[in-house]
Amino acid sequence: MPVTPVAGAGLLIFAFLPDFLLWFPAFVNITEEILKRRTFAIISHPDAGKTTLTEKLLLYGGAVQLAGSVTARKNQRATTSDWMELEKKRGISISSTVLQFDYNGYRLNLLDTPGHKDFSEDTYRVLTAVDSVVMVIDAAKGIEPQTRKLFEVCRQRGVPIFTFMNKCDRPMKDPLSLVDELEHVLGIGAFPVNWPIGDGFDFRGVFDRQTSQMHLFERTVGGKFRAPVSVGGVDDPAVRGQLDDTTFNKTVEELEMLETAGEVFDDAAVLAGKSTPVFFGSASNNFGVQLLLDGFLKHAPAPKSRVMGGIEISPTNPAFSGFIFKIQANMNPKHRDRIAFVRVCSGKFERDMTVHHSRSAKKVRLSSSHKLFGNERETVDEAYPGDVIGLVGHDSFGIGDTLTTDPKILYKEIPRFTPEAFSYLHNPNTAKFKQFRQGLEQLMQEGVIQALYLRNSSIKTPLLAAVGPLQFEVVQFRLESEYGAASRLESAPWTVVRWLPVDMKEDDLDALSLPTGARLAYDIGKNPVVLFANDWSANYFGETNRNTPLSVLPVQTAKE
Ligand SMILES: Nc1nc2c(ncn2[C@@H]2O[C@H](COP(=O)(O)OP(=O)(O)OP(=O)(O)O)[C@@H](O)[C@H]2O)c(=O)[nH]1
Ligand SMILES: [Mg+2]
C-alpha cells in the first residue's frame, strides 16, 4: 500500500486508497497533513483538573516554557487556557479554549472545556468538533455526575475516550475499584495502560504495562517543570531500592491480578468508543503526563469521515468544508472583535478563499483567518481537516453554520438545549442603553443566553433564558467589563419553557387554557412558547390542552 504508516490508528481510513491518487502531489500532501492531526477535548466534572492537565500537556508539547499553575493564581500568574477575566478571578473555566501546538511530528488541536453544568452547552458543542476526548477523573472521587453526562454524549457520538485518573498525589480510591467503576458505572471496557505505585504522599510513579517499565517521579517545586523520571523494570535494583516493601508488594500483587484478568489492549474497541485506555498520574505534579500524551498520540484517531444526511464526507474530499461550533467576542483586549471557531472537516483551507455560507446562501471571502492559542492568535494561511481556525469579521456567521466550496455539503452537528433558568436583566443607566443592547446582542450570538419576549406585555426589560444561572453572572460581568454597561438581575418566576407548534395563530394562542402562573411568550425567532412555574404545571397544561403538543425545543424550521 502506498501510504507510509506515520500515525498509527489514523492510517486505517487511507489504507485502501487507490494508488493512482498518489500521482497527485496535492493529494499526498493533504493525506500527510490529515494523518498528523489529533483534535481532542479534555472533559470532566468541575475541578477534576482539566485546565491543570491542559497546561501540563502544553509544557510537554514545548508550547509553554513554564506551565502556569492554577493554584498559583494568587500570584497573578494565569493559565493559558483560562484567559477570561472572570475565569482568573474564580479559578474555574467558563468557556472552552482552543490551543494548537506541535509535538513529535503531530499537530494537536486541544480544547479545554468547562466542567460546570451551567456551561455545558459550550462543552457539548466542542464535542461535535473533536475526534477523541481525554476524560479526567479525580482519583479520590471516582466518577462524578457531570463526567457521566459528558461520557454519555461521547458514547452516543462514538467518540474514542482516553481516561486520566488524576490527583494520585492525594489519598485516592483503590485503583482496582476505579477501573471497576468505569466498567460498571459507565459501562465501558477499561484497559489500564499504566498503574499507580503508591498513593497520596507516597505516590511514587506508575508502572507502564506495555513496556513493563516502572517510571518513578520526583516532585518539582510547584510542579512547574517537567518531572524528572527514572525508568527501569520491576526487578531493576535501582528502581526496587527506591520503594518500600509495602508499596512494592502491593503494586506487584495488583499487577498480577490485572494480568490474570488477561485483557489485552484492543485498538479497534478503543476507536469504536467501547473501551478506554486508562492512565494514572497527577497533573499538578507532572506525574504521568508525558506517558498520557505519548500513549494518547499512539492510539488516538486522525480526523475521519463524517456522515451528513446519508452522505459520507471524507477528510480527503477535495472540497473544503467545515462548520462553526463556537463564537466568542472580545477575547483579547488588543482585538475587540468577534471570532467564529471553525472545525475544518474536509479539503484544504486557504486564506482569501471564497466559500458558500449555509445560513445566508451567499458567497463569502475568508481573508482574516487565525490559528489559536488561548487568547493569542496568529494569521494562518492554510489549514487542514482536524484544525480549528478562528475567522474574524463576519457578523452574519452563527453557531452551526457550514462553510464550504461545495454547497451540497451541509453539517448539522450542533445540539440545542432547553433553558432551565430565567431572569430579567435591567439596564439601570439609560445613558448606556446602546452599549447594553450591543453587548446583549453579542452574547446572544455567542449562544451564551437567549432572550424571550412576553406576549401582550408592555415590559421592555429583556427576559433572559439560559441553561444555568451562572450564565447570568457571566453576562453581567462581561457586559460591564467588555461593554462598560452595568446591569441588574431580577429573578423571574418560571423554571420550565416549552415550545408550542410554530404555526399557531394568535387566536389559537388566545384560546389556550393556561395553569396559574404560566405565561405565553415568543423566542427570538417569533416562535410561541409557554413559561411554567414547574414541571407539574407543564404536565397539567398537557392534560388540559390535549390537542396542543409541547416540545422541549423549537421545532426545526427550514432555515435551520
Ligand atoms: N493535589 C492535586 N491537585 C490538583 C491536581 N490537578 C489539579 N489540581 C487542583 O485541582 C483544582 C482544580 O483544577 P482545574 O485544573 O482548574 O480543574 P478543572 O477541571 O479545569 O475545573 P473547571 O474547568 O472549573 O471544571 C486546582 O486547585 C488544581 O490545582 C493534582 O494532580 N493533584
Ligand atoms: Mg478548567
Side-chain angles (χ1 to χ4, degrees):
M1 270 296 141
V3 182
T4 345
V6 292
L11 184 75
L12 274 177
I13 45 169
F14 301 102
F16 305 105
L17 291 171
D19 286 7
F20 71 84
L21 276 175
L22 295 168
W23 291 100
F24 299 100
F27 187 84
V28 176
N29 185 24
I30 192 172
T31 305
E32 275 175 12
E33 293 293 340
I34 294 166
L35 288 174
K36 270 168 46 178
R37 282 353 187 229
R38 293 296 180 274
T39 304
F40 66 107
I42 304 199
I43 57 163
S44 81
H45 195 82
D47 263 1
K50 297 175 289 298
T51 301
T52 311
L53 178 63
T54 300
E55 295 297 317
K56 299 309 165 87
L57 290 174
L58 298 180
L59 174 72
Y60 280 89
V64 286
Q65 288 309 310
L66 201 67
S69 165
V70 181
T71 46
R73 284 210 177 94
K74 288 182 223 89
N75 312 331
Q76 299 299 308
R77 178 167 167 76
T79 55
T80 320
S81 175
D82 281 348
W83 50 268
M84 216 187 243
E85 185 96 14
L86 192 54
E87 294 180 316
K88 290 189 218 161
K89 258 194 172 150
R90 286 276 193 94
I92 60 167
S93 303
I94 287 169
S95 172
S96 56
T97 302
V98 181
L99 301 132
Q100 191 187 68
F101 61 100
D102 292 330
Y103 174 74
N104 254 2
Y106 290 95
R107 171 142 305 172
L108 284 80
N109 287 276
L110 187 172
L111 289 108
D112 179 22
T113 64
H116 198 289
K117 69 174 174 35
D118 287 10
F119 310 128
S120 54
E121 215 168 352
D122 186 5
T123 302
Y124 286 124
R125 288 178 191 144
V126 163
L127 288 177
T128 65
V130 298
D131 303 309
S132 56
V133 301
V134 171
M135 176 167 77
V136 182
I137 289 173
D138 181 333
K141 297 185 175 154
I143 294 159
E144 298 176 89
Q146 197 57 17
T147 304
R148 207 162 150 173
K149 282 195 196 155
L150 293 165
F151 167 81
E152 232 9 271
V153 179
C154 294
R155 185 195 344 239
Q156 278 162 18
R157 297 185 59 85
V159 179
I161 298 163
F162 293 74
T163 303
F164 186 63
M165 297 291 182
N166 190 29
K167 306 196 185 181
C168 293
D169 61 319
R170 290 216 302 228
M172 60 186 266
K173 282 189 168 179
D174 174 46
L176 285 167
S177 70
L178 283 169
V179 173
D180 196 56
E181 263 185 57
L182 288 172
E183 291 176 347
H184 290 102
V185 179
L186 298 185
I188 188 170
F191 183 88
V193 175
N194 57 34
W195 199 252
I197 305 167
D199 76 20
F201 194 74
D202 296 323
F203 177 56
R204 302 302 317 282
V206 293
F207 178 81
D208 184 341
R209 293 179 67 215
Q210 293 190 308
T211 56
S212 295
Q213 298 272 295
M214 291 253 189
H215 292 248
L216 298 183
F217 306 117
E218 284 160 37
R219 288 177 198 246
T220 55
V221 185
K224 283 187 179 167
F225 301 91
R226 298 178 189 198
V229 291
S230 55
V231 183
V234 188
D235 305 323
D236 184 335
V239 172
R240 176 67 190 87
Q242 292 188 51
L243 296 177
D244 64 77
D245 288 348
T246 321
T247 309
F248 178 79
N249 293 335
K250 181 173 177 281
T251 311
V252 170
E253 207 171 280
E254 286 169 346
L255 286 169
E256 273 170 12
M257 283 169 78
L258 289 177
E259 291 308 321
T260 323
E263 278 199 50
V264 285
F265 192 97
D266 181 349
D267 250 322
V270 171
L271 293 178
K274 296 205 163 89
S275 174
T276 178
V278 183
F279 300 80
F280 289 81
S282 161
S284 62
N285 289 291
N286 297 340
F287 291 181
V289 175
Q290 178 129 36
L291 285 168
L292 169 71
L293 182 57
D294 292 338
F296 169 80
L297 289 172
K298 196 164 153 202
H299 301 288
K304 53 178 198 266
S305 300
R306 287 178 178 247
V307 179
M308 288 295 128
I311 311 169
E312 185 171 335
I313 303 148
S314 158
T316 55
N317 188 319
F320 159 76
S321 72
F323 65 91
I324 298 169
F325 65 94
K326 179 181 168 76
I327 286 179
Q328 180 107 39
N330 310 322
M331 286 179 63
N332 188 325
K334 279 189 288 194
H335 319 274
R336 287 243 167 231
D337 52 17
R338 176 176 180 270
I339 296 195
F341 291 73
V342 178
R343 152 77 199 225
V344 179
C345 298
S346 75
K348 179 180 175 186
F349 168 85
E350 281 172 296
R351 193 156 68 86
D352 282 330
M353 77 194 300
T354 300
V355 299
H356 170 86
H357 171 226
S358 62
R359 183 182 300 254
S360 63
K362 285 193 178 136
K363 294 243 174 276
V364 287
R365 187 161 156 228
L366 305 177
S367 45
S368 187
S369 46
H370 304 270
K371 81 177 222 184
L372 302 153
F373 190 77
N375 65 343
E376 298 294 324
R377 56 167 99 156
E378 206 177 279
T379 298
V380 70
D381 292 323
E382 48 189 53
Y384 293 91
D387 282 341
V388 170
I389 53 171
L391 300 174
V392 175
H394 300 274
D395 286 349
S396 63
F397 286 2
I399 292 173
D401 294 1
T402 301
L403 300 170
T404 176
T405 51
D406 176 359
K408 289 198 290 300
I409 299 178
L410 181 65
Y411 294 105
K412 285 197 171 182
E413 293 272 20
I414 304 295
R416 299 186 63 173
F417 289 83
T418 311
E420 288 177 24
F422 304 87
S423 207
Y424 292 107
L425 192 71
H426 296 274
N427 168 25
N429 183 353
T430 41
K432 293 272 178 143
F433 178 71
K434 221 176 117 197
Q435 288 89 331
F436 180 84
R437 270 294 283 279
Q438 194 194 359
L440 211 50
E441 264 167 33
Q442 174 54 46
L443 294 170
M444 282 196 270
Q445 274 191 330
E446 287 184 19
V448 172
I449 32 138
Q450 41 179 302
L452 299 172
Y453 304 91
L454 295 178
R455 183 169 184 258
N456 298 335
S457 169
S458 55
I459 301 174
K460 291 276 177 289
T461 310
L463 173 64
L464 304 186
V467 168
L470 265 185
Q471 284 291 30
F472 298 138
E473 269 185 60
V474 174
V475 167
Q476 285 199 288
F477 188 90
R478 289 189 57 191
L479 276 178
E480 175 100 51
S481 67
E482 294 169 24
Y483 298 88
S487 59
R488 184 171 59 78
L489 272 182
E490 182 199 341
S491 63
W494 306 288
T495 63
V496 176
V497 63
R498 293 289 177 264
W499 271 259
L500 290 162
V502 282
D503 52 3
M504 276 187 86
K505 305 274 179 309
E506 292 295 308
D507 288 351
D508 301 333
L509 294 175
D510 286 335
L512 291 173
S513 109
L514 296 180
T516 317
R519 196 65 205 266
L520 286 170
Y522 298 97
D523 71 6
I524 195 111
K526 299 259 162 39
N527 302 310
V529 302
V530 197
L531 291 158
F532 297 102
N534 47 41
D535 282 323
W536 183 86
S537 174
N539 292 339
Y540 183 69
F541 176 95
E543 281 166 26
T544 47
N545 299 272
R546 287 197 177 273
N547 296 328
T548 311
L550 293 176
S551 53
V552 289
L553 286 173
V555 176
Q556 299 248 318
T557 56
K559 257 178 28 197
E560 286 175 301

